[in-house]
Amino acid sequence: MPNISSIYRPRNPRDSGYYRCVEDHFETFEQVYEERFERQYGYFRPYVRKVIYRYLDCGILHNGFARVRCEDCGHEYLLAFSCKRRHFCPSGHQKRVIEFGECLCQEVIKAVPHRHFIFSIPKMLRRYFLFDRKLLSELSRCGWESLKEFFQEAVPEEDAVPGAAIAIQSFGDFLGFNSHLHVLASDGCFYGNGMFRVAPRFEAKQLEEIFRHNVFKMLLSKGKIIKELVDMLMSWHHSGFNVFCGPRIQPGDQQAMENLARYIIRASFSQERMTYIPEDSKVIYQSKDRKHEKVFDALEWLAAMCSHVPDKGEQMVRYYGYYSNVSRGKRIKREQDDLIPHILEPEGSPKEYRRNWARLIQKIYEVDPLTCPKCEGQMRIISFIEDEEVIKKILKHLGLWDVKARPTPRANAPPKAPEYYIDYTDSQLLVSDKWLYGDPEYPEAYSA
């Protein structure tokens, strides 16, 4: 018999506190959103409603499934379809994380030194990006233009250009809206016919000044801020802008690169750190180091979660310079894309990565879902069942047809508009400059 710890068990999302919290409170949340949360988080986006209802149907056999069967002993199980939503569905997003790490390392990144950068902005500017999500793409462009300008000044060749993948993140440790950029960039510039020059050592403070200038210029051009606000921030000892620069990642260090790629598009929250208390309609969420926790009203928790859901078609990862789609396409057309070797030669197309569910599951949970739990033989997917009548007949035959009605929305505190203000004091004036050159929250991002 196979080891019990190595057996893949299809998840049951209804057993999680996260699912129960969403199921219990979403209808009430939608009803009171305008009065309680619109001022703090902006108007309610209709696409969020679709994402949440898709999540509530995720992993439920009644909505369709695949039949997985062992070719040796005939053992079968049913695998429910996933909603494939970003950020809001933990399972769907985790598959995207694994897929992105593989695709970035095998299809995009070249075998040259790289660095991890984090670009942060002051608290008082983050509200503009919360209320207008289109500004997030502009923030990404500001980060890229800053890196490009900085590296081109450091490398003397005229046609030199760096390569970068920039992931936009909007969340902090306790789900507060914190728009910032995670950048995986070449530590230098490509030039000529497949040449690469490593950038000299530099101070992150210099890059921060360029980034600050570009963000101010962008927000002023969009009419979001006025010159007086810029002057005030520039007069502070610490303006709230920050650029973190990680250690150099040497070419060939595939594990470190893939870990970092997964890290920069991680989910906005962790189910393991969340505790749902249905009797009190509360959610307790722990900090990453487990030393602190915050108690949310269930509706407040949902409001914070929904603020991080990307709009339909919104690109949260963008490629620039030598790694842009245009540059890669031109090199492939000229058959020059392999002049600088990939970290790992690709074994399939991006479409094959999306389809290869079993391999992704094996990497996430370190078990093979196509290994039979009875005889350890090889299993395979033999059919996809999507017709409602066929689904009903199969589940009734197996004793799995149990239609669960949506619960009655739970009563909650009377709707009220929260006090809303901008805090100009608590995080802008730092007591030490050391914070500018380190990333104490996520040191394990570089572990191989």
Side-chain angles (χ1 to χ4, degrees):
M1 292 294 292
N3 188 329
I4 192 69
S5 63
S6 65
I7 296 175
Y8 171 69
R9 301 183 184 281
R11 65 192 177 89
N12 183 0
R14 287 177 170 172
D15 290 342
S16 71
Y18 176 57
Y19 185 96
R20 295 198 304 272
C21 178
V22 176
E23 189 178 42
D24 288 347
H25 297 284
F26 177 65
E27 291 183 13
T28 303
F29 165 71
E30 192 174 7
Q31 292 167 6
V32 305
Y33 184 91
E34 182 176 357
E35 185 173 356
R36 287 193 60 180
F37 302 111
E38 186 172 80
R39 188 179 179 190
Q40 184 177 0
Y41 293 104
Y43 72 92
F44 185 78
R45 293 174 286 153
Y47 180 66
V48 171
R49 181 187 301 111
K50 296 180 181 179
V51 169
I52 293 178
Y53 279 125
R54 286 288 299 274
Y55 168 69
L56 292 174
D57 289 336
C58 179
I60 307 300
L61 291 172
H62 293 64
N63 300 311
F65 50 82
R67 290 177 59 197
V68 185
R69 182 174 184 176
C70 177
E71 297 179 335
D72 295 332
C73 70
H75 172 70
E76 281 192 31
Y77 70 83
L78 306 181
L79 180 74
F81 294 148
S82 168
C83 69
K84 301 180 176 66
R85 300 299 95 181
R86 294 181 289 174
H87 289 283
F88 200 85
C89 176
S91 175
H93 189 81
Q94 185 60 23
K95 292 183 181 69
R96 286 177 178 268
V97 168
I98 299 296
E99 179 185 2
F100 173 77
E102 291 184 346
C103 184
L104 188 72
C105 291
Q106 297 181 15
E107 300 288 342
V108 181
I109 296 298
K110 301 298 182 180
V112 297
H114 286 81
R115 286 188 187 272
H116 176 211
F117 297 89
I118 303 175
F119 291 80
S120 303
I121 61 176
K123 272 189 174 182
M124 67 172 60
L125 297 184
R126 295 172 192 169
R127 58 182 181 142
Y128 301 113
F129 298 88
L130 170 62
F131 294 144
D132 185 357
R133 293 190 65 91
K134 292 180 180 179
L135 291 177
L136 292 173
S137 63
E138 298 293 337
L139 183 67
S140 176
R141 172 63 63 176
C142 289
W144 161 245
E145 293 294 343
S146 303
L147 274 173
K148 180 183 176 182
E149 180 179 351
F150 190 80
F151 277 124
Q152 287 181 334
E153 284 295 322
V155 176
E157 283 72 20
E158 291 185 1
D159 60 342
V161 60
I166 299 183
I168 305 167
Q169 288 190 3
S170 61
F171 52 88
D173 200 22
F174 286 113
L175 292 182
F177 195 88
N178 176 13
S179 46
H180 59 286
L181 307 174
H182 282 267
V183 184
L184 187 56
S186 60
D187 191 18
C189 291
F190 300 88
Y191 68 96
N193 190 21
M195 303 298 291
F196 180 84
R197 185 180 293 277
V198 177
R201 188 173 180 177
F202 58 88
E203 286 288 335
K205 192 71 176 177
Q206 300 168 347
L207 182 56
E208 176 192 311
E209 293 174 1
I210 302 174
F211 177 61
R212 180 178 59 196
H213 169 77
N214 286 337
V215 172
F216 282 152
K217 181 179 178 181
M218 181 270 292
L219 291 176
L220 284 168
S221 69
K222 298 290 183 181
K224 299 297 182 180
I225 60 176
I226 59 177
K227 188 65 168 58
E228 287 73 14
L229 178 60
V230 175
D231 293 338
M232 182 184 70
L233 286 172
M234 292 294 291
S235 69
W236 291 1
H237 180 60
H238 293 292
S239 65
F241 286 89
N242 177 51
V243 173
F244 161 76
C245 177
R248 179 176 291 166
I249 303 174
Q250 297 296 343
D253 194 348
Q254 178 194 351
Q255 190 61 54
M257 188 70 72
E258 195 167 325
N259 287 346
L260 183 55
R262 297 177 191 177
Y263 168 74
I264 67 175
I265 67 160
R266 67 193 186 279
S268 55
F269 84 110
S270 167
Q271 287 195 91
E272 289 72 23
R273 290 155 53 192
M274 171 195 175
T275 303
Y276 172 50
I277 306 176
E279 299 82 9
D280 300 327
S281 297
K282 300 290 185 184
V283 171
I284 300 175
Y285 195 63
Q286 292 182 315
S287 61
K288 191 167 185 178
D289 58 11
R290 310 283 180 166
K291 295 181 180 179
H292 307 282
E293 62 182 31
K294 184 176 180 179
V295 179
F296 292 84
D297 172 86
L299 300 184
E300 293 174 350
W301 168 264
L302 286 176
M305 284 293 301
C306 290
S307 71
H308 304 300
V309 175
D311 286 329
K312 184 177 182 180
E314 183 179 356
Q315 297 297 319
M316 303 304 287
V317 178
R318 296 172 181 269
Y319 301 95
Y320 295 99
Y322 196 80
Y323 294 157
S324 69
N325 294 334
V326 173
S327 295
R328 289 162 54 204
K330 289 180 179 178
R331 292 196 302 273
I332 291 173
K333 188 174 181 179
R334 298 194 302 262
E335 297 183 350
Q336 294 179 337
D337 197 43
D338 292 327
L339 290 177
I340 298 177
H342 291 273
I343 290 177
L344 180 66
E345 291 295 330
E347 297 179 356
S349 68
K351 289 185 178 179
E352 290 173 329
Y353 296 145
R354 288 194 290 270
R355 293 172 182 168
N356 199 339
W357 157 80
R359 181 180 49 76
L360 293 178
I361 291 292
Q362 188 171 6
K363 294 195 75 170
I364 296 170
Y365 300 110
E366 298 182 350
V367 296
D368 187 351
L370 296 184
T371 297
C372 178
K374 300 292 184 181
C375 68
E376 294 190 279
Q378 183 66 29
M379 305 184 77
R380 66 185 182 91
I381 298 174
I382 60 174
S383 63
F384 294 97
I385 312 300
E386 299 178 282
D387 184 85
E388 292 183 6
E389 289 300 318
V390 178
I391 292 171
K392 186 174 182 179
K393 288 180 180 179
I394 292 177
L395 294 183
K396 279 190 172 182
H397 175 73
L398 297 175
L400 298 174
W401 183 259
D402 178 22
V403 179
K404 181 182 178 183
R406 297 278 187 225
T408 303
R410 291 178 176 270
N412 209 284
K416 59 181 181 180
E419 292 291 331
Y420 185 73
Y421 65 96
I422 304 171
D423 188 347
Y424 291 95
T425 59
D426 68 346
S427 69
Q428 309 301 329
L429 302 177
L430 305 179
V431 297
S432 171
D433 285 345
K434 293 181 180 179
W435 181 79
L436 293 170
Y437 305 100
D439 186 19
E441 267 190 89
Y442 308 109
E444 72 274 24
Y446 307 104
S447 60

